[in-house]
Amino acid sequence: MRAILDATTILFASALGLVVEIVAGRLLAPYVGMSVHTWTAVIAVVLGGFSIGHWWGGRLAGPECDRARGHARLSWILAGCAAASLVAVPALRLAAPFLDAEGVSPLLAMLGFALAGFLAPSLLVGAVSPIVTKLAVEEAAPGQVGRVLGRLFAISALGAIGGTLAAGFVFLAWIGSSGTMLACAGCYAALAALHAAAGARRAAALGLAAAAVAVPAGALALPAYGRFCDVESAYACLRVVDAEPMIGRPARLLVLDHLAHGMNLRDEPTTLVQPYLHLADELMVARGLPEAPAAFFAGGGAFTLPRAWAAEHPRAALTVAEIDPAIAALARRDFWLRDGPALRVVARDARVALQATPPGPRFDLVFADAFQDLAMPVHLVTREWHRAVRDRLNPGGAYLVNVMEDRRAPRFLLALARTLAEDFAVVEIWVEATAQPAGRRITYLVLASGTPSPAPRITARRGPERHWARLPPDYVASRWRAADVPVLTDDFAPVDRLMSHLILSPEASGR
């Protein structure tokens, strides 16, 4: 029985530690986004907690730690894990006014949120395995120590694998990040109750067993555990914001994690509030958009432009590749998206979906509007992807890319333009010529095609009064040569490094 309890403790402690690590990234996303920088902060803090916990657990597993003391210490440590998991979500909300404030470095905010929510649970669970291992080794038969250690290490690895899979494929999709943290708290409390019972502490065992059920269930009613996301999918925290007070007409804004991704007007599907979508529409019309356009959209968001074109061009053939089915469902429910013969939604990664389409003239437009935090997904910026796009464009068709970048030193934008120039005869960068919000971050629209646009400036023919200008091609080429940026390939596409000056800037990231 002792061996079974030891194995069970190692298995579940390892699994729960990894569940908390996976959930940490999702819980931080509404505050600081989900990027390689966010995951670096989370992993560093969690591993730091494990390391300190292992050291502390080794101290607790001293010569005086017999089986009775071991059960007692494990019960209190696991109860501490339960408490730390329980308060992780409120801790993030308490830290938000200080870390999610104007002028705070995004890097500091990422580390601060990770420390506030996830150092304590990682430290405490890290102390479990040294105590369990010490007890198991001392009771091993002569010559069996190596076998016992190997078995416990294997069980620990198996638990970590199971926890990772369960968090990513089951818990986040079914009960959300906050619910998963409460479930972890309940499991930790149940393990604590087992060790209290094994140590003949019946009252403590009964109390912990009751707390394992009652405390997580009761915490759901607390304001700190109130729903932050309208929908939490496997990919993002989705929020619907009523935009009518901002523009005076029925409208809604979609927020993914911490960034706005689209605004739709209920009664005016062809009115495009966001300037870059307005530009995409005007630019394609200026280039001779046919009455029944064929277009492929990499990323759905609020489905703003596909919705507009489906309403204006009933005979169009519009394909939207949106990897997150929850986003498409939300667009239908809250953003007035209507399915019809002109619009087809594919629940696949955009690159996979496009490459599954046989090469040949098919699309008048391929539009990449997909983001991971501020950066584009790496596999949608490379030469290999661009060739797949080029091979499926009609003569005169265009590839458009929405890029959020720095106003002064847009290194990723320049690398993207250089990469596109390897496979397209024409590469244009468009910006809004009217007044833009202060700050470093602006939105560029990149066009790649076999034919140039007819004019270097565009004035909106409908909707808000706006003007856009094309940056001189020679100027753009001189900028990428001077910046010495790389050609982006599947083998080498350092998007986060090229954009680090923007992602880690308080001003540019919206703080």
Side-chain angles (χ1 to χ4, degrees), residues 224-287:
Y225 277 91
R227 190 171 66 177
F228 194 90
C229 312
D230 293 302
V231 176
E232 186 170 9
S233 75
Y235 296 92
C237 169
L238 316 178
R239 287 180 287 155
V240 180
V241 178
D242 181 10
E244 185 171 357
M246 290 185 274
I247 63 174
R249 286 169 285 178
R252 289 175 182 153
L253 175 70
L254 173 65
V255 178
L256 302 184
D257 292 333
H258 71 143
L259 291 175
H261 278 255
M263 181 184 292
N264 287 3
L265 277 64
R266 184 189 67 190
D267 304 319
E268 304 171 53
T270 59
T271 299
L272 303 170
V273 177
Q274 291 171 285
Y276 82 92
L277 290 176
H278 194 179
L279 169 59
D281 178 60
E282 297 285 357
L283 188 55
M284 291 306 296
V285 169
R287 291 177 58 87

Side-chain angles (χ1 to χ4, degrees), residues 54 116 133 254 288 325 421 425:
H54 293 333
T133 302
L254 173 65

Side-chain angles (χ1 to χ4, degrees), residues 375-400:
M376 290 184 65
V378 171
H379 66 299
L380 297 184
V381 302
T382 66
R383 278 200 74 185
E384 291 82 353
W385 160 251
H386 295 160
R387 288 169 179 165
V389 171
R390 181 199 61 192
D391 293 344
R392 290 160 178 81
L393 286 176
N394 288 327
Y399 174 50
L400 292 183

Side-chain angles (χ1 to χ4, degrees), residues 249 268 270-276 278-279 282 431-436 457-469:
R249 286 169 285 178
E268 304 171 53
T270 59
T271 299
L272 303 170
V273 177
Q274 291 171 285
Y276 82 92
H278 194 179
L279 169 59
E282 297 285 357
V431 294
E432 194 172 1
T434 49
Q436 296 193 37
R457 296 181 67 87
I458 289 179
T459 298
R461 61 193 166 85
R462 65 181 181 188
E465 182 180 349
R466 290 179 175 132
H467 308 275
W468 298 274

